[in-house]
Amino acid sequence: GAVVSQHPSWVICKSGTSVKIECRSLDFQATTMFWYRQFPKQSLMLMATSNEGSKATYEQGVEKDKFLINHASLTLSTLTVTSAHPEDSSFYICSARDLRVATEAFFGQGTRLTVV
Amino acid sequence: GENVEQHPSTLSVQEGDSAVIKCTYSDSASNYFPWYKQELGKRPQLIIDIRSNVGEKKDQRIAVTLNKTAKHFSLHITETQPEDSAVYFCAASIVGQNFVFGPGTRLSVLP
């Protein structure tokens, strides 16, 4: 299947700082990328949907000013957690799809964020 | 919007037995139903999917059945092996749109 690379896989940051997570589709063009948050032993909760060249659509309850999403190209989307707090500690996963040709979503390997 | 429920939340089976996980969805417009397997600390991986124009699909030891009228679909794993132990997520979507995931089922295959 197609490859989606997410970086970094693990990051620790201090409260108040910002962290950027990258999601790249390596061998296909992702018209749409989804960002999920996953708490321990829980399901994937959609945070936002980003279409290449457009502003992201955020799910209810997700602060757009805190979780900045950029999808400037068909192969790269970034999620920036701004002014991180300990409660932002979580596992963040992106998934990428080319809605023009396929239905399957390919997931990045995830980023475990710990805010201290 | 779409709501997906999944049962059971945990499932333990003996190696070699079958495992069945069931999901229901609420939006009758949903027409694509993938199943993902997630091992601890790893990314979800697609294991099988089914579209609404098909009632059943099989891939070796894994099968999925869909009942559109009742709005439920099930994952069947036969001859389970220890490496099948993982969390399984069902999802429902309209083709081309976002997935809504179920809460997940933690499957343990006991040797």
Side-chain angles (χ1 to χ4, degrees), chain B residues 23-63:
Chain B
C23 287
T24 60
Y25 61 100
S26 61
D27 189 346
S28 57
S30 290
N31 54 11
Y32 177 64
F33 308 92
W35 284 90
Y36 284 84
K37 174 184 180 182
Q38 187 179 27
E39 297 178 20
L40 188 63
K42 296 187 177 181
R43 75 186 82 192
Q45 299 273 12
L46 179 72
I47 56 171
I48 197 167
D49 57 9
I50 192 168
R51 291 187 186 234
S52 58
N53 58 350
V54 176
E56 183 174 0
K57 185 177 178 181
K58 189 173 182 180
D59 182 4
Q60 299 183 339
R61 297 188 296 108
I62 296 173

Side-chain angles (χ1 to χ4, degrees), chain A residues 5-6 9 11 16 21 27 30 32 47 55 63 68 84 99 103 115:
Chain A
S5 177
Q6 190 172 337
S9 57
V11 59
I21 303 170
D27 52 1
T32 305
M47 298 174 65
K55 287 185 177 180
E63 300 176 58
L68 301 178
L99 298 183
T103 52
V115 184

Side-chain angles (χ1 to χ4, degrees), chain B:
Chain B
E2 177 67 276
N3 181 52
V4 178
E5 296 185 356
Q6 184 172 346
H7 299 279
S9 57
T10 59
L11 178 60
S12 294
V13 299
Q14 290 295 133
E15 182 177 358
D17 287 351
S18 295
V20 180
I21 303 171
K22 299 181 179 180
C23 287
T24 60
Y25 61 100
S26 61
D27 189 346
S28 57
S30 290
N31 54 11
Y32 177 64
F33 308 92
W35 284 90
Y36 284 84
K37 174 184 180 182
Q38 187 179 27
E39 297 178 20
L40 188 63
K42 296 187 177 181
R43 75 186 82 192
Q45 299 273 12
L46 179 72
I47 56 171
I48 197 167
D49 57 9
I50 192 168
R51 291 187 186 234
S52 58
N53 58 350
V54 176
E56 183 174 0
K57 185 177 178 181
K58 189 173 182 180
D59 182 4
Q60 299 183 339
R61 297 188 296 108
I62 296 173
V64 56
T65 58
L66 171 65
N67 183 325
K68 276 197 67 178
T69 303
K71 289 189 281 190
H72 66 69
F73 55 112
S74 300
L75 177 71
H76 304 252
I77 306 174
T78 59
E79 300 173 27
T80 54
Q81 301 166 4
E83 51 265 37
D84 294 329
S85 296
V87 178
Y88 291 81
F89 294 100
C90 63
S93 81
I94 298 171
V95 170
Q97 298 186 23
N98 175 48
F99 295 158
V100 176
F101 286 92
T105 296
R106 184 172 299 277
L107 173 64
S108 300
V109 180
L110 308 174

